[in-house]
Amino acid sequence: MQSDSQQQLTQQDALAQCVQAIKGTSFAQKLVNYIALIVEFDCAVVLACRVNKHPIYLFDSIEKQRELLFQRYLTNSFVNDPFYTELVSKAEEGVFRLADIARYQDELTFKAYQQQFYTHTDWTDELSICTNIGNGRSIVIYLGLLSNNQRFSALQKQQLIAHFNLIKALCSQHWGSQKLLLNQFNSSVTGQLIENALTSFANQQLTQREHQVACLIVQGCDSADIASQLGIALGTVKNHRKRIYAQLNVASLSEFFRLFLNHLMHTK
């Protein structure tokens, strides 16, 4: 057991590493390391979320059933995530336990989500830190417990609340002024895998411009975002999207995301 002074020093060191990593590729990992000194958890997922848009993956420390994050949650089951529906859609921020959120959920819908996600991933409890970073965007840090005998306590929630303003400030400094793209702000290994996946995704079926558009779509950009980024007309982007869907034989954005995420899972 560490003394209070040793624990405080450790937190100060971790905080210093977070500050040094702002705008760098290791920030999310450093932030999770810092949070781990405040409360204990088994795994973490960091996502950028916007209302009515697919979440953008930023970081995870999942070791078991990791494919479920990519193949299920990010593709479509996020819309049933109680944290997403209660926090992101309502632009709320703060620290929330699963018990805080469950009371507002339809019982049948909540049980179905538990069956689809918690049962398959072995998560037994969850706590979320949700921070608004402007322009309708939120950074959501999900902390999970895997032990059947463990639940996040009210005290742990209060400990995180005491650090919330600092965590929010760090997130705002790092992500607030940036375009949130899938291949940015990841650890070096994860970032390289994502970069490789983006480079190789459908590059044989699509033209260079279509490939640019496809890569921006999978990174969560809508047609207006893509038009602005590439300096082309909105109608041109929509035409590109139609051809991309036809070339890849997909009929919806969810199918398109699933195709890319499956590609990502097999990229080396």
Side-chain angles (χ1 to χ4, degrees):
M1 179 72 70
Q2 292 178 315
S3 69
D4 289 344
S5 60
Q6 288 174 319
Q7 179 70 6
Q8 182 63 33
L9 178 62
T10 302
Q11 287 185 8
Q12 288 177 350
D13 290 342
L15 177 59
Q17 291 180 7
C18 285
V19 173
Q20 290 174 340
I22 288 174
K23 306 302 182 186
T25 58
S26 65
F27 175 79
Q29 176 69 75
K30 300 298 184 184
L31 180 62
V32 169
N33 291 347
Y34 172 65
I35 294 171
L37 295 175
I38 303 170
V39 297
E40 293 185 2
F41 54 88
D42 295 317
C43 47
V45 177
V46 183
L47 303 176
C49 297
R50 299 155 300 166
V51 178
N52 298 324
K53 293 186 179 183
H54 285 72
I56 299 173
Y57 166 85
L58 298 174
F59 174 83
D60 80 273
S61 64
I62 296 175
E63 296 182 356
K64 183 179 179 182
Q65 300 280 34
R66 190 166 180 263
E67 67 276 5
L68 294 176
L69 171 65
F70 292 97
Q71 295 176 343
R72 293 191 184 182
Y73 184 87
L74 293 176
T75 301
N76 50 34
S77 66
F78 72 92
V79 297
N80 297 317
D81 177 359
F83 286 100
Y84 178 88
T85 56
E86 287 299 320
L87 304 182
V88 178
S89 62
K90 296 179 181 178
E92 294 191 34
E93 62 177 0
V95 180
F96 304 88
R97 292 188 297 164
L98 184 60
D100 300 327
I101 300 298
R103 71 186 67 174
Y104 301 110
Q105 297 289 301
D106 173 78
E107 184 176 358
L108 292 178
T109 301
F110 182 65
K111 286 184 176 180
Y113 181 77
Q114 283 184 305
Q115 181 66 33
Q116 291 175 4
F117 186 73
Y118 293 113
T119 302
H120 288 117
T121 60
D122 290 337
W123 284 37
T124 58
D125 199 17
E126 188 173 358
L127 183 147
S128 173
I129 306 168
C130 185
T131 70
N132 298 331
I133 60 170
N135 297 320
R137 305 176 303 167
S138 299
I139 300 298
V140 185
I141 304 166
Y142 296 93
L143 308 178
L145 291 175
L146 302 178
S147 171
N148 287 326
N149 298 320
Q150 288 187 324
R151 294 291 186 273
F152 285 109
S153 67
L155 176 59
Q156 287 175 308
K157 175 182 173 180
Q158 289 303 316
Q159 289 171 328
L160 280 173
I161 289 174
H163 290 78
F164 175 77
N165 287 339
L166 181 53
I167 293 171
K168 175 181 171 66
L170 289 167
C171 290
S172 295
Q173 285 295 313
H174 181 67
W175 284 297
S177 62
Q178 301 292 331
K179 294 183 182 298
L180 296 173
L181 299 177
L182 185 65
N183 63 333
Q184 291 180 323
F185 314 121
N186 289 281
S187 65
S188 57
V189 174
T190 303
Q192 188 61 55
L193 285 174
I194 292 173
E195 183 177 348
N196 292 344
L198 288 168
T199 300
S200 59
F201 178 59
N203 60 356
Q204 298 299 314
Q205 298 104 307
L206 305 177
T207 67
Q208 182 177 358
R209 176 63 89 185
E210 288 166 353
H211 185 260
Q212 286 180 308
V213 172
C215 287
L216 290 171
I217 293 173
V218 299
Q219 292 177 93
C221 296
D222 59 22
S223 293
D225 295 331
I226 295 169
S228 176
Q229 289 237 130
L230 298 181
I232 58 179
L234 181 60
T236 302
V237 175
K238 292 180 178 179
N239 288 335
H240 283 315
R241 291 184 72 135
K242 288 179 182 178
R243 177 169 166 75
I244 290 167
Y245 279 27
Q247 289 290 95
L248 301 182
N249 195 30
V250 297
S252 68
L253 185 59
S254 290
E255 288 183 19
F256 181 78
F257 266 86
R258 185 177 294 110
L259 186 66
F260 173 75
L261 293 171
N262 284 335
H263 175 72
L264 176 61
M265 291 300 295
H266 293 91
T267 298
K268 296 182 180 180

